[in-house]
Amino acid sequence: MSHVIKKHVIFKRDKWNMVTVEVNGSRLVAREISDQWGEDTHTFLSRPALIQWARERFPRDLFEGTDEEYDAMMEAFRNV
């Protein structure tokens, strides 16, 4: 039996700056790709843990973008 890994693009500026979340069974794997820092991977066992991390990792007052972009990104995390 093969598992289907579903990939969600949460945020993408270009191919070097993005955040994706892969759903693999009950595991959620968030990948941050940055032209400054490379790739960073975070694994979560629940959606609430993913949302909590997203809120702490991307505080609204430090987000480099519009409120609409921020709201769309957070909504994408909630829709995983």
Side-chain angles (χ1 to χ4, degrees):
M1 181 159 109
S2 65
H3 290 290
V4 175
I5 297 175
K6 188 169 183 187
K7 183 175 179 178
H8 299 264
V9 176
I10 302 298
F11 168 82
K12 185 171 183 175
R13 283 236 164 91
D14 52 43
K15 72 178 187 172
W16 302 112
N17 293 283
M18 69 179 84
V19 176
T20 63
V21 176
E22 294 173 1
V23 179
N24 185 355
S26 63
R27 278 188 20 206
L28 304 162
V29 180
R31 295 185 195 282
E32 293 182 89
I33 301 169
S34 161
D35 57 2
Q36 290 182 325
W37 307 106
E39 183 175 321
D40 204 2
T41 303
H42 312 274
T43 302
F44 305 95
L45 298 178
S46 71
R47 283 172 172 74
L50 170 68
I51 299 300
Q52 180 65 34
W53 170 81
R55 286 187 183 130
E56 291 173 5
R57 173 63 184 86
F58 302 105
R60 184 183 287 271
D61 58 339
L62 298 178
F63 183 71
E64 294 179 14
T66 66
D67 283 345
E68 291 79 16
E69 289 172 322
Y70 182 83
D71 292 340
M73 180 181 70
M74 295 311 280
E75 183 66 21
F77 275 114
R78 285 189 289 274
N79 288 332
V80 167

